[in-house]
Amino acid sequence: MFESMKSGWHLAGQVRNSISGNKKLYIYPVLSGIVSVIIFALTFFILILEIPISGYTYYYYIAGIFVAYVLVYFFATLIIMAMMISYRSVETNNPVTLIEAFSSTKKYTVKAFQWAILYSVLLMILRAVESRVRGIGGIIIASIGSFAITVATFFVVPVILDYNTGPIKAIKMSVDTIKSHFGNTFGGVIYIDLYTLIFTGGGFLLLIVSAILFGSGIPLIVIAVTAVIAVIMIVLGLILNFTYMNIFKLILFDYVNGKGLPDGIDENLLNLSIRHRINGSMGNGPF
């Protein structure tokens, strides 16, 4: 297990180095974050102002949140596709501009919207089940459900990008890709970017420190600055994680489909980072 974790750390570093030469890739997660914040802010603003005070308020709220989910995942899917197109263009020495990358996603609009609806439905069902089951049972159901959705949809966006197929077929192709190349005991890929963890972990730690210091007599400006730095670190961590994880999925998808690996990505590390479930536990195994 430790060996696979160590391989995952090194693999994440190689993916980061592969992306480092294409700085504009970091624009895509920023755009995704901005769009998500705007959509959810507008949704809650509209819900607060427009929902009538009646027995149906709860249902209006659920419908509003569902619509927000769909819009967020729709735009996020198109943005991820544009980012993948941009990465591939650099790898093939035919770089495209930001506008060109987004223009290339127009033909996927319908399929991306269908995928956003299905993914939102899955998440809403999972959240509904979680809310009905309390205690450890709810935690177990949430963990199993989240893991199942994550694994089943692991390659969905690259599949839609390459085959322009609907969400159901995309999930089937994603699962088939995993089974055919990793086997039925696939337990995911150990991929831990320590660089990203420094930002997110350090940011959350600073937030905790600022909360502890609040009301302790330390000047408020010091606490406020600490909190702002913490938020900036967390945002940077989320940006890096969005970029590295989605590009890693593309790299892995291209590799198992015979397109090879980008320069600087070690095939042996990739093999060692794959997790396999053995009698209910996680183990390692080759492709």
Side-chain angles (χ1 to χ4, degrees):
M1 181 66 179
F2 180 76
E3 183 64 27
S4 61
M5 289 183 64
K6 183 179 178 181
S7 299
W9 296 338
H10 290 301
L11 178 62
Q14 291 180 354
V15 172
R16 186 172 64 248
N17 291 334
S18 177
I19 293 172
S20 62
N22 190 4
K23 302 297 184 184
K24 67 180 179 182
L25 289 178
Y26 299 111
I27 297 175
Y28 296 99
V30 173
L31 292 175
S32 181
I34 292 174
V35 170
S36 299
V37 169
I38 291 175
I39 290 174
F40 277 116
L42 287 176
T43 299
F44 284 112
F45 180 74
I46 293 172
L47 288 174
I48 292 173
L49 291 183
E50 300 297 332
I51 288 184
I53 306 301
S54 68
Y56 298 101
T57 300
Y58 175 77
Y59 299 101
Y60 282 114
Y61 176 79
I62 296 298
I65 296 300
F66 176 74
V67 171
Y69 270 11
V70 171
L71 292 176
V72 165
Y73 289 121
F74 168 65
F75 286 110
T77 300
L78 292 179
I79 290 171
I80 291 172
M81 286 181 174
M83 182 173 66
M84 290 178 173
I85 291 171
S86 180
Y87 177 79
R88 277 179 172 173
S89 72
V90 172
E91 288 301 309
T92 56
N93 296 316
N94 187 28
V96 299
T97 64
L98 191 73
I99 295 177
E100 289 173 336
F102 277 110
S103 295
S104 298
T105 65
K106 289 180 180 179
K107 61 181 178 181
Y108 304 106
T109 301
V110 174
K111 298 299 189 297
F113 189 69
Q114 293 172 346
W115 164 241
I117 293 175
L118 178 59
Y119 193 65
S120 298
V121 169
L122 292 175
L123 289 183
M124 292 290 280
I125 291 174
L126 183 60
R127 298 293 177 265
V129 173
E130 289 177 22
S131 65
R132 294 292 185 271
V133 182
R134 305 294 182 182
I136 297 178
I139 296 175
I140 294 175
I141 291 175
S143 299
I144 294 175
S146 297
F147 177 77
I149 291 175
T150 299
V151 171
T153 63
F154 196 77
F155 291 125
V156 162
V157 177
V159 166
I160 296 176
L161 179 63
D162 279 2
Y163 300 100
N164 199 12
T165 186
I168 301 297
K169 188 174 181 180
I171 292 177
K172 183 179 182 302
M173 292 179 70
S174 175
V175 173
D176 287 344
T177 299
I178 290 172
K179 287 183 177 180
S180 61
H181 294 281
F182 309 128
N184 293 322
T185 59
F186 177 67
V189 181
I190 293 182
Y191 177 85
I192 305 173
D193 184 28
L194 297 179
Y195 189 72
T196 301
L197 286 177
I198 290 174
F199 284 98
T200 53
F204 280 114
L205 182 61
L206 282 180
L207 272 183
I208 295 174
V209 170
S210 61
I212 294 174
L213 293 178
F214 187 77
S216 63
I218 295 178
L220 188 59
I221 184 63
V222 175
I223 299 175
V225 169
T226 302
V228 169
I229 293 174
V231 171
I232 292 174
M233 289 180 66
I234 292 173
V235 170
L236 285 174
L238 293 175
I239 290 172
L240 296 176
N241 184 69
F242 181 101
T243 307
Y244 299 152
M245 195 63 210
N246 284 295
I247 294 300
F248 172 67
K249 290 180 181 179
L250 179 67
I251 290 173
L252 187 58
F253 183 75
D254 285 347
Y255 171 59
V256 298
N257 282 284
K259 297 181 181 179
L261 288 170
D263 292 337
I265 304 297
D266 188 342
E267 183 177 358
N268 291 326
L269 283 179
L270 199 58
N271 290 329
L272 290 172
S273 300
I274 302 300
R275 294 184 298 177
H276 291 264
R277 292 169 293 184
I278 302 175
N279 297 325
S281 61
M282 292 295 183
N284 296 322
F287 278 117

